[in-house]
Amino acid sequence: MTKKWLGIVLAVFLLAACGAPAPAQPGVETVVAETLVAMTSAAPPVDTPAAPEGALVSANSVKFVIPVGLGTSANVESLPEAIITDGPMMASAPAHTKFTLTGYPLQGKFFEPNIYVYPVAEYEAINDSAAQNIQKLRAILASPEAPLTKDALPGITAFNAAKVFTAKMQLISFQSGSGVIFLTQYAQYPATVNNKEMFYNFQGLTSDGRFYIVAILPVNAPFLAPDDNPQSVLPSDGIPLTAEMPDDAYYAAVVSKLDQTAPDVFTPTLTQLDALIQSITIQ
């Protein structure tokens, strides 16, 4: 384990409640969602594309379609409330649903392809960090004309680390609400941007304000190194360091290149990931 992750308190908590797949435990049912080719039945809001053809996942009043090529189905876990009284508040979470995509095109990354659905009121009541992130998201959605910035974007409540960059930032609508999407990576010190740790992050709220959705979906860009190992080979068109450690100039150069890269050049494509998010329906 690299030093930058030693202090990520919730890397452990995620194994049990809201991160990487946890072993079965009492009160937690894990099932494989039905897979079929279908369209979601809910009528999309204005400017929200209809759900694509692919694998329809439906559980706990949540539906979404995994576009062809992005996965085959999802494992669904109904996770119980976990209130941590002897640790950081960021470790507390209400009962929620976690979906882990199966057949995802990227394997062995730092994060698994997960989608979480939390009840807003309960999450805000027991977790101050979550309440702050949800409020940031509300502010963004209330002023859609305002420019998106790294500082304005909500973070991931479960991570005791910070975003080292944000790219491809934009608002997005889904079948039951709206949110924001961006590429990012978390660390506790200046870290090189790499394909092991970078992910596509969606954070959204349903139109009625009752549910908070967070998606963490690994994504690769062809010009990034495979990981943060200094000995790893950087592709010929990659962004090299000009100093001993990554600095503002390095991050600006990487973000500029990511922003200029066409959506379908990424693996999986941002077009596929956007389509998955846009298909989410919560009843």
Side-chain angles (χ1 to χ4, degrees):
M1 180 179 294
T2 60
K3 62 181 181 179
K4 69 180 174 182
W5 296 108
L6 292 177
I8 301 182
V9 178
L10 250 294
V12 176
F13 176 76
L14 290 176
L15 295 176
C18 59
Q25 52 184 295
V28 179
E29 179 182 4
T30 302
V31 298
V32 177
E34 180 182 7
T35 302
L36 48 88
V37 175
M39 303 287 283
T40 56
S41 59
V46 176
D47 297 328
T48 302
E53 186 176 90
L56 175 64
V57 177
S58 180
N60 296 352
S61 299
V62 180
K63 292 182 180 181
F64 58 88
V65 175
I66 305 173
V68 174
L70 193 58
T72 55
S73 188
N75 290 332
V76 184
E77 296 179 66
S78 298
L79 296 167
E81 180 178 77
I83 299 179
I84 310 301
T85 58
D86 59 351
M89 279 300 292
M90 68 178 66
S92 298
H96 61 282
T97 302
K98 183 181 84 171
F99 298 88
T100 301
L101 305 190
T102 59
Y104 196 74
L106 297 179
Q107 300 292 324
K109 301 302 178 181
F110 192 87
F111 296 105
E112 292 202 329
N114 292 329
I115 299 173
Y116 306 88
V117 180
Y118 300 95
V120 168
E122 290 88 338
Y123 208 1
E124 290 183 304
I126 65 174
N127 191 312
D128 291 341
S129 177
Q132 292 168 9
N133 283 322
I134 292 170
Q135 186 53 42
K136 278 190 170 185
L137 183 55
R138 287 194 186 105
I140 289 172
L141 298 180
S143 301
E145 73 287 348
L148 295 173
T149 66
K150 184 176 77 169
D151 291 339
L153 291 170
I156 302 292
T157 298
F159 300 165
N160 185 20
K163 299 186 289 286
V164 297
F165 79 94
T166 54
K168 292 288 190 185
M169 299 176 285
Q170 67 180 64
L171 298 178
I172 190 170
S173 294
F174 60 101
Q175 302 293 315
S176 297
S178 56
V180 64
I181 51 175
F182 53 97
L183 303 183
T184 191
Q185 180 178 314
Y186 279 68
Q188 291 189 322
Y189 73 96
T192 56
V193 181
N194 64 86
N195 277 333
K196 187 175 181 66
E197 297 166 341
M198 184 173 73
F199 62 94
Y200 170 108
N201 185 202
F202 163 71
Q203 298 196 41
L205 292 170
T206 53
S207 298
D208 60 11
R210 293 179 57 202
F211 295 98
Y212 173 48
I213 306 96
V214 176
I216 299 174
L217 302 167
V219 66
N220 283 182
F223 61 87
L224 294 179
D227 52 44
D228 68 343
N229 187 332
Q231 304 304 315
S232 295
V233 176
L234 184 69
S236 59
D237 58 345
I239 307 295
L241 290 174
T242 56
E244 183 176 350
M245 296 289 287
D247 55 15
D248 289 344
Y250 165 78
Y251 289 124
V254 173
V255 168
S256 177
K257 187 153 190 170
L258 287 169
D259 283 342
Q260 294 174 36
T261 300
D264 290 345
V265 172
F266 293 87
T267 303
T269 72
L270 302 188
T271 302
Q272 291 174 304
L273 296 173
D274 290 351
L276 183 156
I277 297 304
Q278 290 168 330
S279 74
I280 296 174
T281 302
I282 301 179
Q283 298 175 335

